[in-house]
Amino acid sequence: MATKKRTTIKDVAREAKVSIASVSRVLNGSGGVTPETQEIVRATAARLSYVPDNAARSLITGRTNTVGAVLPDLYGEYFSELIRGIDLAARARGLHLLVSSSHDGVDAAAAAVRAMRGRVDGMLILSEFVDAAFLEANLPSDLPAVLLDSPVKSTRYPALNIDNFAGANAMVRHLLDLGHGSVALIAGPRGNFDAQEREKGYRSAMASHAPKAALNIVAGDFTEESGYRAGRELLAQKVRPRAVFAGNDMMAVGCLYAFREAGLEVPRDIALAGFDDILIARYVTPPLSTVRVRIADMGKSALLMLAELMDGSGPPAASIHTLGCDVVVRDSCGERHIRAGL
Amino acid sequence: MATKKRTTIKDVAREAKVSIASVSRVLNGSGGVTPETQEIVRATAARLSYVPDNAARSLITGRTNTVGAVLPDLYGEYFSELIRGIDLAARARGLHLLVSSSHDGVDAAAAAVRAMRGRVDGMLILSEFVDAAFLEANLPSDLPAVLLDSPVKSTRYPALNIDNFAGANAMVRHLLDLGHGSVALIAGPRGNFDAQEREKGYRSAMASHAPKAALNIVAGDFTEESGYRAGRELLAQKVRPRAVFAGNDMMAVGCLYAFREAGLEVPRDIALAGFDDILIARYVTPPLSTVRVRIADMGKSALLMLAELMDGSGPPAASIHTLGCDVVVRDSCGERHIRAGL
DNA sequence: ATGAAAGCGCTAACAG
DNA sequence: CTGTTAGCGCTTTCAT
């Protein structure tokens, strides 16, 4: 279809009265061609609006100039920012982007990864289903890849992670500094890597800045609904906490609704903070203090890393890079100013 | 890189002690092979973990099994929903998805379209820069394509549009039915197709349901900031309108802030509605009545249409399909119930 | 500086 | 039912 009867290099060669080799040389800038010949070839190619066939080119060069991005079924805002970061960086390097999202299980993820074989020169993988065995089984050993936000300590692939620990730690510390004697945590889903790191950050901040205060952790699963339930659970405790740190913004929003429903005013009666800085955070009442994650940067950095890997000049395999977060202080935690860059 | 020294069809043939043709036949299900041979081939292929080379396959078949999606630099939520719809439908049909987003001008869009030549069997194009001449100049005449949300009346490509007119019309009618004597409009950017259609919908509803009321249109450009300014402008009018229909949700949100700042209560003092049903709409106070656009459906339908086009069984070129919207009634317009599907 | 020719890995006739 | 073979469009030696 696409390549039904396009003009080929032969047509150009014939029209330009040169050999196909010369045409190839000119169009690839391989040098060794007279300026005059170059001119003729270029003109003819333009006249016939010749476009080299990528399949043929890939077949012989072994390169596709395409990178693949495998992403899970994830929440809109995060996804689009990430993709944008990746796409921009890819375009800047003349690379195309093949995406595959929405995988709801290991098998789907594996299929997605495998389907990209031979179509891409490198891959960006972000999936909770990825582990060392998964990679071993589904990735050709010679295909460069970069792992995003992954717990895998692979010896073969570099990983790029968000500093969930530091972000959570900083936010809890901030809450504590504000004078809220003790902070409760609404945890994220058990198996989730981000959730675990954030919880660790919470524990660490509590241990170092409020060693006498008891830990107060209620369960959640990153959904608004679970945040709402957690909020009610918190209010039912004998002593109502002074501040709550939710493992992500959606839960914070749910929690906010629970508080509002109970007639409490945030932050006067109880302080609240989230994590992610999703768009909504700015628009709820009161605006939510949260931890901003620079997703687009992560996409960009990941692509750059992958590109280097593909050039053979990349970072040592197994390196783990970490991207910082910013504490964004809005109204929900009881103070107003911005503390950035940790 | 990716294809450095992979096992080829020859290796499989040798190991299975059959001809490469048989291997090809088995793996393509072209039939005409004994079950036993099939079994042997399949087993050896699996054992060698053989994966056919896409480039070679494309070269000879002329198909890439990939569709391209060219999107402008657009707002996160819309983009991710659209992509998800497309991706899901593509996967269901065994098609891969090559994306290119973030184009800030005609040239960038043209480059993006051209770069996909030969890499895809069909294209989905959503760009404000697209018009008949653009397509003529940048798309190979034999490449199937579907236009998304485009004003172009092309004789060559089918288009899939959102029924902005009907959506706006229904919302304004709803506002009028509620008894708000006259409705003001915050218009979108001048050149924008969606904005124009929505304005027409407003005019039409006013003409038919409130023929005696004067039209009241203030300018906006789809940004929150412009909505805020428009809100102030509206409040400065001699007679404050009873209801305001904003051309999109972001402007409605900005407008809401202007009203709040002026000490007005929505919807008691003034009713407000938007368009798009972005996530935020649900979370502002009061929740915003709006018009829901089924973006993911649009992506899916577009891909299905494209797939048919690629099979040769597609809709007649130049057909224009329209996707309905739903009026979503929340608190901001002064009544609570849902009216769906128009 | 240019051209001829050998494949890249695969599918699709065409023979047998 | 199976094997042989001719390319698909291109890059890249290797001659000239």
Side-chain angles (χ1 to χ4, degrees):
Chain A
M1 286 262 159
T3 32
K4 199 162 44 181
K5 234 173 58 186
R6 297 232 311 288
T7 62
T8 78
I9 196 170
K10 273 186 189 165
D11 301 323
V12 179
R14 181 168 22 76
E15 288 288 316
K17 299 187 201 309
V18 297
S19 72
I20 59 171
S22 294
V23 177
S24 173
R25 283 192 269 257
V26 171
L27 268 29
N28 288 300
S30 332
V33 187
T34 347
E36 295 90 69
T37 315
Q38 287 205 28
E39 196 36 47
I40 297 182
V41 171
R42 247 182 261 286
T44 334
R47 182 160 57 77
L48 305 183
S49 64
Y50 164 70
V51 180
D53 182 297
N54 287 300
R57 191 176 270 184
S58 292
L59 180 56
I60 193 159
T61 60
R63 311 200 87 248
T64 60
N65 288 316
T66 302
V67 301
V70 173
L71 307 159
D73 182 31
L74 32 69
Y75 181 60
E77 215 173 303
Y78 184 94
F79 174 71
S80 65
E81 253 204 87
L82 183 61
I83 278 279
R84 171 184 293 177
I86 295 172
D87 182 56
L88 246 32
R91 185 110 35 79
R93 302 204 48 137
L95 292 169
H96 294 257
L97 182 60
L98 196 62
V99 305
S100 178
S101 62
S102 314
H103 310 113
D104 47 8
V106 203
D107 297 341
V113 170
R114 242 173 317 187
M116 290 210 174
R117 270 204 198 190
R119 301 181 164 274
V120 300
D121 296 339
M123 294 190 65
L124 257 26
I125 304 179
L126 166 41
S127 168
E128 51 173 322
F129 305 115
V130 165
D131 57 31
F134 178 99
L135 295 171
E136 176 71 36
N138 298 299
L139 269 186
S141 58
D142 58 349
L143 186 64
V146 171
L147 271 24
L148 266 54
D149 199 19
S150 152
V152 181
K153 284 169 196 21
S154 163
T155 47
R156 294 233 306 255
Y157 305 100
L160 202 52
N161 294 337
I162 285 174
D163 203 343
N164 288 297
F165 178 90
N169 188 288
M171 178 52 95
V172 174
R173 235 164 44 215
H174 175 74
L175 256 16
L176 257 14
D177 287 350
L178 251 32
H180 307 302
S182 108
V183 179
L185 170 75
I186 303 182
R190 285 234 150 277
N192 186 288
F193 179 54
D194 294 330
Q196 289 165 358
E197 291 297 306
R198 290 172 193 181
E199 179 168 337
K200 282 185 198 161
Y202 161 79
R203 287 174 183 276
S204 157
M206 290 294 282
S208 62
H209 285 69
K212 286 168 301 195
L215 292 181
N216 185 0
I217 303 181
V218 300
D221 61 12
F222 276 173
T223 64
E224 179 182 352
E225 170 62 20
S226 77
Y228 174 81
R229 282 195 308 267
R232 292 178 56 107
E233 188 178 335
L234 252 13
L235 295 183
Q237 295 182 344
K238 289 178 299 285
V239 182
R240 186 215 298 157
R242 272 293 298 134
V244 177
F245 170 50
N248 77 348
D249 285 348
M250 282 318 295
M251 293 198 297
V253 169
C255 183
L256 179 63
Y257 285 158
F259 291 168
R260 183 181 298 174
E261 191 181 79
L264 293 186
E265 192 181 307
V266 174
R268 197 196 56 195
D269 302 320
I270 188 165
L272 181 63
F275 201 116
D276 281 346
D277 195 22
I278 61 177
L279 203 56
I280 298 171
R282 226 172 321 220
Y283 294 94
V284 289
T285 311
L288 186 69
S289 291
T290 183
V291 180
R292 178 184 302 143
V293 174
R294 277 164 274 163
I295 313 275
D297 280 0
M298 178 159 99
K300 179 180 173 180
S301 305
L303 189 115
L304 257 28
M305 233 151 101
L306 181 60
E308 283 180 10
L309 224 46
M310 289 171 7
D311 294 346
S313 61
S319 55
I320 295 189
H321 304 248
T322 302
L323 255 64
C325 313
D326 303 326
V327 168
V328 179
V329 178
R330 298 209 177 88
D331 299 345
S332 72
C333 65
E335 204 200 25
R336 182 151 199 100
H337 75 232
I338 296 230
R339 232 172 71 196
L342 36 152
Chain B
M1 287 260 157
T3 32
K4 199 161 46 181
K5 232 172 62 187
R6 296 232 311 288
T7 61
T8 78
I9 196 172
K10 273 185 188 166
D11 301 323
V12 179
R14 182 168 22 76
E15 289 287 316
K17 300 185 199 312
V18 297
S19 73
I20 59 170
S22 294
V23 177
S24 174
R25 281 192 271 258
V26 172
L27 268 29
N28 288 299
S30 333
V33 189
T34 345
E36 295 90 68
T37 316
Q38 286 206 28
E39 197 35 48
I40 297 182
V41 170
R42 247 183 262 286
T44 2
R47 183 161 56 79
L48 305 182
S49 64
Y50 164 71
V51 180
D53 183 297
N54 288 300
R57 192 176 268 184
S58 292
L59 180 56
I60 192 160
T61 61
R63 311 198 86 248
T64 60
N65 288 316
T66 302
V67 301
V70 174
L71 307 160
D73 183 31
L74 33 69
Y75 181 60
E77 215 173 304
Y78 184 94
F79 174 71
S80 65
E81 253 204 87
L82 183 62
I83 279 280
R84 170 183 293 178
I86 295 173
D87 182 56
L88 247 30
R91 185 109 37 78
R93 301 205 47 138
L95 292 169
H96 294 257
L97 182 60
L98 195 63
V99 304
S100 179
S101 62
S102 315
H103 309 114
D104 47 7
V106 203
D107 297 340
V113 170
R114 243 175 315 191
M116 290 211 174
R117 270 203 198 191
R119 301 181 165 274
V120 299
D121 296 338
M123 294 191 66
L124 257 25
I125 304 180
L126 166 40
S127 167
E128 52 173 320
F129 305 115
V130 164
D131 56 31
F134 178 98
L135 295 170
E136 176 71 36
N138 298 299
L139 270 186
S141 58
D142 57 349
L143 186 65
V146 170
L147 271 24
L148 265 53
D149 200 17
S150 153
V152 180
K153 286 171 197 15
S154 163
T155 45
R156 295 233 305 256
Y157 305 101
L160 202 52
N161 293 337
I162 285 174
D163 203 344
N164 288 297
F165 178 90
N169 188 287
M171 178 53 96
V172 174
R173 233 164 43 213
H174 176 74
L175 256 15
L176 256 14
D177 287 350
L178 251 32
H180 306 303
S182 107
V183 180
L185 170 75
I186 304 182
R190 284 234 150 278
N192 186 287
F193 179 53
D194 294 329
Q196 289 164 358
E197 291 297 305
R198 291 172 192 181
E199 180 168 337
K200 281 186 199 162
Y202 161 79
R203 287 175 183 275
S204 157
M206 290 294 282
S208 62
H209 285 68
K212 286 168 300 195
L215 292 182
N216 186 0
I217 303 181
V218 300
D221 60 12
F222 276 172
T223 64
E224 180 182 350
E225 170 62 20
S226 77
Y228 174 81
R229 283 195 307 267
R232 292 178 56 108
E233 187 177 337
L234 252 12
L235 295 182
Q237 296 182 343
K238 288 178 299 286
V239 182
R240 185 215 299 158
R242 271 292 299 135
V244 177
F245 170 50
N248 77 347
D249 285 348
M250 282 317 295
M251 294 198 297
V253 169
C255 183
L256 179 63
Y257 286 157
F259 291 168
R260 182 181 297 174
E261 192 181 80
L264 293 185
E265 192 181 306
V266 174
R268 197 196 56 195
D269 302 322
I270 188 164
L272 181 63
F275 201 116
D276 282 345
D277 194 22
I278 61 177
L279 203 56
I280 298 172
R282 226 173 320 220
Y283 294 94
V284 288
T285 310
L288 186 69
S289 291
T290 183
V291 180
R292 178 184 302 142
V293 175
R294 276 165 275 163
I295 314 277
D297 280 359
M298 179 160 99
K300 179 180 173 181
S301 305
L303 189 114
L304 258 27
M305 231 151 101
L306 182 60
E308 283 179 11
L309 223 47
M310 289 171 4
D311 294 347
S313 61
S319 55
I320 295 189
H321 304 248
T322 303
L323 255 63
C325 313
D326 303 327
V327 168
V328 179
V329 178
R330 299 208 178 88
D331 299 346
S332 73
C333 65
E335 205 199 24
R336 184 154 197 97
H337 75 232
I338 296 229
R339 231 172 72 196
L342 36 151

